[in-house]
Amino acid sequence: MTRPDPDADSLAAEGRRLLDSLARRAAVDEAVGVLRGWQGCDAAQARDDLTGDTGAAGLGVEAARVAAAVDARADGTADPDYGGWT
């Protein structure tokens, strides 16, 4: 039995869903790393702190909040590769 070939729109939609999922996961993993550094805790504790009272539903929101806090405090000129570009 053969399967019909998926149409281009279905493939594109699935690709977008995959990219969105990977971006969300990367943001959460980055936030976990930040919390580990700030709090000196392990990954499980950092993830628990991110989910807080909201559970998994609020994980992405909290990850975005952590990223915004890091970006607000960041000094781009502290990068060793910084060459005066803006």
Side-chain angles (χ1 to χ4, degrees), residues 33-69:
V34 168
L35 289 180
R36 289 182 71 189
W38 282 352
Q39 299 174 352
C41 61
D42 64 8
Q45 180 62 49
R47 186 173 288 278
D48 286 346
D49 290 348
L50 276 177
T51 56
D53 295 334
T54 62
L59 191 58
V61 174
E62 284 301 303
R65 187 185 62 76
V66 169

Side-chain angles (χ1 to χ4, degrees), residues 7-51:
D7 63 278
D9 290 338
S10 295
L11 289 174
E14 188 60 33
R16 284 189 297 275
R17 281 191 295 274
L18 177 61
L19 288 174
D20 289 345
S21 176
L22 290 172
R24 284 190 305 271
R25 183 171 184 160
V28 168
D29 287 347
E30 183 175 332
V32 166
V34 168
L35 289 180
R36 289 182 71 189
W38 282 352
Q39 299 174 352
C41 61
D42 64 8
Q45 180 62 49
R47 186 173 288 278
D48 286 346
D49 290 348
L50 276 177
T51 56

